[in-house]
Amino acid sequence: MNARVVGCVLGTLVISSGVLAQSTSSRFVAASVESGLAFNATNERAVVFSDIVMVPNAHWLRLDFDTAQLGAAPVGGEPTMLRITSLQDGGQIRMQAHHLEQWGYRSPYFNGDTVKIEIVADAGADPSFLSVSQVLAGQFETIDTICGSTDDRQLSNDPRVGRGWTAGGSANCTLWLINDCAKCLLAAGHCGFSNGQAHFNIPLSTSSGQVVMSAPDDQYAVDTSSGQGINGGVGNDFYYFGCFPNPNTGLTPYEAQGDAFVLGPPPTDPNTTIRVTGCGITDSTVPATYYRAQKTHTGPWVGINGTQLQYQVDTTSGNSGSPVINDNTGEAIGIHTHGGCTSGGSGANSGTSLTLPALQNAFANPQGVCAQATCCYADCDGSGSLNVFDYICFGNEYAAGTSYADCDGSGGLNVFDYICFGNEYAAGCP
């Protein structure tokens, strides 16, 4: 490799890909970024490598690193940093070596067709190097069906609901925060979020329907070791997982968003209203800015068949993984996974009930970052104190199949469980 020193800046790398097809969401495009050995030959912290990557006409970019090694800092110095900036809106990520590992040696997603890559190092830091041979560039998908003749979804801004991006770059799913011990997330198993990313605070798309990425501060790498899921068809489709803290803010998704869904059982009242909130695609019958933005809709509860939930609520491709919400109680009761409604108004969309034994087993045996938290189960509603709502919460959790709701281990829910939880809370909780 050739050594590179401060002030050696490569020219703009223009990747000629032609116009991206409207029928695909993303495409890998060949790139050729080679830093060589980049080291700091000055007496102060400085940029030791810089390059520009451009994919003409792309709406967003993500870099995949073939190699990326950030040299160790000198004793007492600051860590070497990889800095990537969108030249469209200034969105920026600052990653250290451990962040690159957490993100699977991929960057966040950046709006626009051009990004700037920089390595920043202290004087005396070990040499760094990186190479990029492909860039993921994004565009559109095609529309799916909804319930009835019109798309009745409205824009929403629920902080608990985000947009998922797979390792391959398909924005084909929704994800959401739950009020478990570690405040982890749920999505659909068929989404394939291993090595993916979770984005929150989703912007509107452009007036021409181009996806706008969340700010880098609102993007999170999925901890693959935390993931547990099944892609087993209707009623047997879930993914339970956690994310690493954001490199810029140091916050987890829950710490940044400040809220999570309380989980509840399927409704018994046939007149229950169901809500589904997610980031599905749209067609020309609604404003183009709604495309892939967060939207919500309510409709009638149809029923439950085993662990398959059914409801007549508008959803499209991209809503997979959305929370299925009992709008009467505000509790999430399942994960939206499959379509089934028709434009004529018949049929129903479907999801996986939270009572699915495999999902309950995942909750009881968290992995990765989802297992790195201690939780006061006695404070069931997460309010920070013990109150009547905790007792209601435990009744709901027991009905949903949660084993720890049976605090006294009797095999049923009774007054002694409430006494047991009161004693555990008074003792400082597990």
Side-chain angles (χ1 to χ4, degrees), residues 207-241:
S207 59
S208 60
Q210 298 176 12
V211 166
V212 177
M213 291 294 173
S214 299
D217 284 5
D218 296 318
Q219 300 187 31
Y220 303 86
V222 171
D223 173 20
T224 301
S225 69
S226 70
Q228 300 183 69
I230 294 174
N231 178 14
V234 180
N236 191 28
D237 189 336
F238 76 91
Y239 193 60
Y240 170 57
F241 66 103

Side-chain angles (χ1 to χ4, degrees), residues 3 31 162 247 254 318 366 386:
Y254 175 75
L386 196 66

Side-chain angles (χ1 to χ4, degrees), residues 264-267 274 301 309 324-326 331-335 352-355:
I274 298 297
W301 167 246
L309 307 177
V324 180
I325 306 162
N326 180 334
E331 295 173 335
I333 63 170
I335 304 164
T352 299
S353 172
L354 301 183
T355 60

Side-chain angles (χ1 to χ4, degrees), residues 236-367:
N236 191 28
D237 189 336
F238 76 91
Y239 193 60
Y240 170 57
F241 66 103
C243 292
F244 294 111
N246 179 273
N248 287 351
T249 67
L251 301 176
T252 64
Y254 175 75
E255 290 169 341
Q257 299 304 109
D259 201 1
F261 280 97
V262 173
L263 307 183
T268 57
D269 182 354
N271 297 315
T272 297
T273 297
I274 298 297
R275 178 180 297 276
V276 177
T277 301
C279 303
I281 63 176
T282 55
D283 62 14
S284 59
T285 63
V286 299
T289 53
Y290 287 24
Y291 180 80
R292 288 286 179 195
Q294 189 191 116
K295 299 172 290 297
T296 193
H297 183 235
T298 61
W301 167 246
V302 174
I304 183 169
N305 181 16
T307 56
Q308 176 189 0
L309 307 177
Q310 293 185 306
Y311 37 87
Q312 288 188 324
V313 182
D314 285 348
T315 62
T316 56
S317 176
N319 269 111
S320 287
S322 297
V324 180
I325 306 162
N326 180 334
D327 209 41
N328 298 8
T329 65
E331 295 173 335
I333 63 170
I335 304 164
H336 171 70
T337 59
H338 289 79
C341 281
T342 69
S343 59
S346 62
N349 290 325
S350 297
T352 299
S353 172
L354 301 183
T355 60
L356 179 71
L359 177 53
Q360 287 294 317
N361 183 67
F363 287 157
N365 299 279
Q367 307 295 321

